[in-house]
Each structure stands twice: as C-alpha cells, then as structure tokens.
Amino acid sequence: MASRKNTKFIFVTGGVTSSLGKGIIAASLAKLLQSRGFSVTIQKLDPYINVDPGTLNPYEHGECFVTEDGAETDLDLGHYERFLNINTSQENNVTTGRIYYNVITKEREGAYLGKTVQVIPHITDEIKRNIYAVAEKNDYDIVITEIGGCVGDIESLPFIEAVRQVKWDVGPNNFLVINLTLIPYLKAAGELKTKPTQHAVKQLLESGIQPDILVCRTEHKLPQEIRKKLALFCNVNINSVIEAMDADSIYDVPLLMRKEKLDERVLAKLKLSHKVEPELTQWKNFLGKLKNPISDINIALVGKYIELPDAYKSITEAFIHAGTENETKVNVKWIHSEEINSENVKTLLENVHGVLVAPGFGERGIEGKIATIKFCREEKLPFFGICLGMQCAVVEFARNVLGLKDASSTEIEGKTKNPIIDLMQEQQSITQKGGTMRLGSYACELKKNTKAYQAYGKTKINERHRHRYEFNNRYLQDIEAAGMKATGINPKTGLVEIVEIPDHPWFVGTQFHPELKSTVLNPHPLFVRFVKASLEHKILSESN
Ligand code: GLN
C-alpha cells in the first residue's frame, strides 16, 4: 500500500455498551495532541449498510452533519470540528455501505481480474485504503480512527479485522488501540464491577487485538485496586487504565483526560517526543466563561424531532459557544412544532427571549412553525430561522403581509398557486434520494447595513447547505417592497441565502446551516448576535 512513513494510527474501539462517548474521547485526545503541536485528524468508521447517514431519519441516528465538501456524515464529525477547529470531509466518515459499494463497483468494472471477491482481503483492503487515504490527504502526524458500534457486533467485525492488519502494515510503534469501556457501579453491593470490561477485552483479543489503553467510563472514582485488577485481567499497564468520570460539559473532557495523562500515555507508546506542554489557554478561557455566566436567557427551539435532542446537536452546541461568548447561559426550551399553534403560542413563548425555528423535512409541524413565526414577527421577539425555518418565515410573510393566502412551499403543498418556496431547476429531474440535495459550502454575498453584515463584519462569506427547495425569485420584488429583504445572495446563481425584516429588532432567516460552522474557538457570528439580541430583549422586557 501507499507510503505513510510518518503517520501514527490510533484506533478507538468501544466495548460493553454503545453511547459511551467514543466521539468525545477521540475528540478530546485529538485536542490534547493538537495542543502539543501535532497535526491530527479524526475519522469515523460506521458499521451500518447505508452508504451515508443522509438518508437516515434523525430519530434513528441524530443529526446529519454536513462538511464543507458536501458529505453527509455522522454527528461525531461535528464534535471533531468543534473541538479541533478544523474542517473534516468525506474521507473522515466511511460506512460499511460505502466500503461494499466501492468494492462491488470495482467488481463490476472487472477490477478483480476473475478472482473471488471476499471479506478478507477485498473488504478489509478497501477499509485500510480509506484509513490510509485520510493520513495521506494532509500528511497528518496522527490519525485517530473511531470504530462505531460495539466490539463483538457482527457488523463491526471487518473493521476490527482491518485494524488488526494495520498493525502489521505500519509497525507496532505506529499503531495504538484505545478501548473505551464501562465500569458499572452496583448500588446494592456498593461496588464497581470490572467483569463486563474483562469480557469485552477478551472479545477483542479473540479478534487478535490487544488494547494498549483502557478508558473507563464510570460514575465513581476508580480506586487503585480496581485499576490494578483491570490492568491484570486485561493485560495492560496500570498507568494505561484511564478514568473517565461523567463530566458536567463535554468541553471538560480534554482537561479530565489531561489530568489522567491519556495524552502522555499515547505519546510514550507511540514513541513520540512530548514536544511541548499542551497550549490550552484559549480552551481554558472558554471553560472559565462557560462556567461563570453573568446572565441567562431562554430560547425556544421549535422543531419536530425534539424527542431526540441529538437531532439538533450542532444547534445546541452553537448556543453553548455563542452563549459563552456573551457570558450568558442559554436555556433551550424545546417546543414541538406539532404542539404549538396560534391559540397557545403566547403562553408557550412566555418568558422566552428569542425563538429559533429549526431545519427539517416534510409537512409535519409546518403550520406550528408558521404560527410561531407570525407571533415573533408581530411581537418583535428575536427570531432566527434556519433552512426550513427560513422557508417558513418567507411563507408566513407572503401569506400574512403580502396577502397571498395560499402561498406555500411546494414541499408542503405541491399544487399551490403561489409557490414562494420551490424546487430548483436542477432538482426537478432527480429521482434518487441519497446525496442529491444542494450540499456543502456555497459562497454568499452580504448587503451592507444589514443584521447579517453587522454579525460577520464582511461581505463575502461561505456557508454550508443541505436542502432541495429555494426562495422563488419570481416573488423577490414584491416581498422586498412589503418589507422583508434578501440580504445575502449567492453571487453565481442569484439564489436568496438570507432574509431579514429591517423593521424588527432581530428577524433573520438563513437558507444555509450556520450551526455547522460554530466551534469553541470560533463561535458562529449569527448565533452570537442572535443571543445578544435575545439578551437585549430580556433586559428591555424586564425594564418595562
Ligand atoms: N426541506 C427543506 C428543503 O429541502 C429544508 C431542508 C432543511 O431544513 N435542511 O429545502
């Protein structure tokens, strides 16, 4: 395989149960290594058969995170970007579906020259090719690859087998496995239990993999004797048993891992010099502000997937970043778009200082979103609409201000006489679902003297998209004459990317998804301004 002489490969596996937070541990380790001057990236291998998570319902798998290059990926990539302040791309998330898709495509092209195509070596070779491709893209010092699912699942076996082989490709000094595990506490016995971890590690050993480091999720501190026991039964050094206590915030985890010396263990095992001590001043400043807010506000998030907050992960994280920037705690009040209507909107939004209407697909909950937006517009309550939220704001305005009672989006009402939101020309003929939307980063030009320009402080921006429908420019003149302005335009296509109502304290809708670009070190300017406007609304309403 291709040369990769300098790169170190770290694999993060998980045992005992899912949802242990492998993504956060991987991102935290990457943060520590990055803060010591290494170039690091993270990749996630997902064991499901979907080619990407783009076709998955958010209830199944949480938010679909879109990268600059338009890849629809697992939400853990959002954590990687927010922690590391770097862009990821398609190579950073590979599913079993994509691996098989690539292999079968090659087979149909005759690339295997009459050979029987098998899991080993063809599928495992394709997995390894994808692992090495990430390393080669930017010549990284370290690539961390997170294996989705749990060790022992039938589905993840080819990934585990590929990991076993990587050690022989790259040599033992360039290879490390960290196994994340759970140490349950039995209340009745008053004891922490190591047995599930012993079994999980045995299972890994059966696949030929000896983990080098155990990261142990626990609700209680790990006493020395438990660490000793884990080391003995799982065949690792005692100082490679790392405690991962439940944390108040995911952003605490890098410092907790630093305290447990996870980064030092990793560097020692990979025979990497310690270079410099981690430079975490900015990170610590962020945590200081996060934990000591001066004020707090309530922001309503109106959406239809609120039963699973992971469906809006990037939005809630963007509020944490923007709140911290404003030294304000943002309490998110979740409101189901099917529950809110013109009768109860006033009550539901009592004590709410700003409203975000969420992205989404399909007609369910649309009328609730529109009723919410009407209230925000009329009552001058700060409003932020993202993607479908922006489209609903345009529909509401067309219906209630322009007087086009039947105005709608053709996604909701296919036969409407006033398709104010409509399919783009190039989308009309597409019949396939996966990967066919307007995806990834597009340029946008901002008009001066607008809320958007005030936030960004420049006219040329780039933001990420994931949608099929667009503002129908046939209505642009009328809409603008009635008081809603298109303040951000795609310079190539003329498509409307941002709408605002200037005669309102803060009413902004974006066709793109600003939440996808908010990171700890770069809170998104629109979120920062929206939080600020909501805070001002609170101060004003309390002084009245
Ligand atoms: N369903 C809308 C569209 O496809 C909005 C998508 C979204 O909110 N991401 O255009």
Side-chain angles (χ1 to χ4, degrees):
M1 292 206 181
S3 81
R4 44 184 175 275
K5 50 185 186 313
N6 295 318
T7 307
K8 306 281 186 183
F9 294 88
I10 300 175
F11 293 91
V12 179
T13 57
V16 182
T17 74
S18 57
S19 306
L20 289 179
K22 281 195 298 271
I24 301 297
I25 293 293
S28 299
L29 172 61
K31 182 80 220 165
L32 292 176
L33 296 171
Q34 184 194 51
S35 72
R36 285 174 179 272
F38 294 101
S39 66
V40 189
T41 193
I42 320 186
Q43 174 185 47
K44 172 134 195 225
L45 303 182
D46 272 314
Y48 50 76
I49 315 290
N50 306 63
V51 172
D52 62 42
T55 52
L56 285 171
N57 183 321
Y59 289 127
E60 291 279 319
H61 206 67
E63 164 190 277
C64 171
F65 186 81
V66 180
T67 55
E68 285 291 288
D69 60 343
E72 297 177 278
T73 71
D74 184 80
L75 58 73
D76 273 346
L77 271 80
H79 291 309
Y80 306 162
E81 293 202 357
R82 289 186 283 271
F83 274 61
L84 297 181
N85 209 33
I86 58 165
N87 286 331
T88 56
S89 58
Q90 179 65 73
E91 295 85 36
N92 294 75
N93 188 200
V94 182
T95 68
T96 293
R98 186 173 297 279
I99 298 286
Y100 273 82
Y101 186 83
N102 292 348
V103 168
I104 292 169
T105 306
K106 279 189 217 162
E107 187 274 333
R108 291 290 83 184
E109 289 164 354
Y112 296 108
L113 304 173
K115 286 264 183 240
T116 309
V117 181
Q118 296 180 296
V119 173
I120 306 171
H122 302 102
I123 294 295
T124 47
D125 276 355
E126 178 62 18
I127 295 170
K128 289 195 291 174
R129 193 185 65 75
N130 276 277
I131 294 169
Y132 301 140
V134 177
E136 273 148 31
K137 189 164 180 189
N138 285 318
D139 216 2
Y140 288 106
D141 298 326
I142 301 165
V143 174
I144 301 178
T145 301
E146 176 193 347
I147 314 285
C150 245
V151 171
D153 295 350
I154 289 178
E155 295 185 323
S156 49
L157 277 177
F159 287 135
I160 298 290
E161 167 58 17
V163 172
R164 187 192 67 77
Q165 293 176 20
V166 169
K167 183 172 184 176
W168 297 100
D169 285 353
V170 303
N173 288 342
N174 300 321
F175 172 90
L176 185 91
V177 174
I178 298 174
N179 188 51
L180 185 57
T181 182
L182 176 72
I183 312 293
Y185 179 74
L186 279 194
K187 214 160 138 206
E191 270 182 70
L192 286 163
K193 289 298 187 188
T194 63
K195 193 69 83 187
T197 300
Q198 295 177 34
H199 283 301
V201 170
K202 279 219 173 75
Q203 212 152 20
L204 257 182
L205 281 166
E206 274 170 24
S207 305
I209 292 177
Q210 165 66 55
D212 300 280
I213 294 174
L214 293 181
V215 174
C216 305
R217 279 300 301 274
T218 169
E219 289 171 14
H220 297 268
K221 287 200 82 51
L222 288 187
Q224 197 61 12
E225 67 270 22
I226 292 281
R227 292 183 192 241
K228 257 193 206 154
K229 198 167 169 186
L230 283 164
L232 180 68
F233 280 96
C234 301
N235 206 26
V236 298
N237 292 334
I238 185 153
N239 57 6
S240 294
V241 176
I242 305 288
E243 169 191 284
M245 290 266 284
D246 294 351
D248 292 340
S249 155
I250 55 170
Y251 301 112
D252 286 328
V253 180
L255 298 186
L256 294 176
M257 290 301 103
R258 169 96 185 96
K259 212 166 138 210
E260 280 286 300
K261 302 190 165 54
L262 173 63
D263 52 335
E264 288 177 36
R265 294 309 305 152
V266 165
L267 294 177
K269 287 197 177 279
L270 290 174
K271 312 261 182 305
L272 280 169
S273 81
H274 281 45
K275 275 200 176 172
V276 283
E277 285 300 296
E279 165 46 42
L280 291 161
T281 318
Q282 277 179 298
W283 193 268
K284 286 181 184 164
N285 284 346
F286 167 82
L287 279 177
K289 279 206 258 172
L290 172 70
K291 304 218 158 167
N292 298 290
I294 297 169
S295 31
D296 71 313
I297 52 167
N298 304 322
I299 287 189
L301 196 158
V302 181
K304 72 168 174 177
Y305 307 113
I306 61 161
E307 298 88 340
L308 185 76
D310 264 5
Y312 303 109
K313 195 77 204 160
S314 293
I315 293 178
T316 48
E317 294 306 313
F319 276 134
I320 293 174
H321 309 153
T324 303
E325 182 75 11
N326 282 289
E327 295 182 73
T328 297
K329 179 168 186 337
V330 176
N331 304 307
V332 175
K333 176 174 181 181
W334 301 90
I335 299 180
H336 203 295
S337 50
E338 284 183 303
E339 261 155 40
I340 194 163
N341 54 48
S342 50
E343 260 97 70
N344 63 14
V345 57
K346 189 163 190 251
T347 324
L348 282 175
L349 296 183
E350 215 177 303
N351 270 325
V352 163
H353 312 112
V355 175
L356 186 142
V357 174
F361 292 84
E363 61 187 326
R364 199 160 61 85
I366 290 285
E367 293 307 324
K369 289 185 170 175
I370 290 176
T372 306
I373 295 165
K374 180 167 188 279
F375 182 86
C376 294
R377 181 176 55 76
E378 292 176 345
E379 300 299 320
K380 307 253 186 257
L381 187 58
F383 163 79
F384 194 5
I386 298 183
C387 210
L388 183 62
M390 170 268 198
Q391 297 175 352
C392 288
V394 176
V395 170
E396 190 280 320
F397 194 85
R399 284 185 191 172
N400 301 324
V401 181
L402 261 189
L404 302 173
K405 288 287 165 233
D406 56 357
S408 197
S409 159
T410 46
E411 180 179 19
I412 302 152
E413 179 52 61
K415 294 195 177 68
T416 174
K417 290 222 175 57
N418 284 300
I420 191 120
I421 304 291
D422 201 1
L423 263 193
M424 291 177 280
Q425 209 64 49
E426 57 269 35
Q427 289 283 343
Q428 310 263 5
S429 55
I430 295 175
T431 51
Q432 284 220 337
K433 287 269 187 256
T436 56
M437 286 185 259
R438 173 145 83 109
L439 287 165
S441 182
Y442 285 86
C444 170
E445 221 155 284
L446 304 182
K447 306 227 167 98
K448 292 217 169 136
N449 298 320
T450 61
K451 298 278 186 328
Y453 180 75
Q454 220 174 41
Y456 287 92
K458 57 184 178 185
T459 55
K460 287 186 194 323
I461 60 160
N462 284 284
E463 290 285 358
R464 299 184 197 169
H465 292 248
R466 181 172 187 251
H467 56 101
R468 291 197 171 81
Y469 295 82
E470 300 282 353
F471 184 108
N472 184 343
N473 272 329
R474 216 160 26 98
Y475 294 89
L476 182 57
Q477 241 182 352
D478 291 350
I479 286 271
E480 290 213 313
M484 177 182 264
K485 306 287 178 193
T487 61
I489 305 284
N490 181 317
K492 267 210 185 118
T493 56
L495 288 169
V496 173
E497 309 284 39
I498 309 178
V499 294
E500 293 181 26
I501 298 179
D503 183 25
H504 186 288
W506 212 88
F507 189 105
V508 177
T510 63
Q511 185 58 80
F512 52 78
H513 289 265
E515 73 276 18
L516 299 175
K517 282 177 76 164
S518 187
T519 70
V520 167
L521 296 188
N522 280 316
H524 196 283
L526 286 176
F527 274 86
V528 173
R529 286 288 169 152
F530 174 54
V531 167
K532 190 163 182 279
S534 304
L535 189 57
E536 283 163 4
H537 179 87
K538 180 183 177 185
I539 294 166
L540 204 69
S541 55
E542 282 175 353
S543 68
N544 282 337

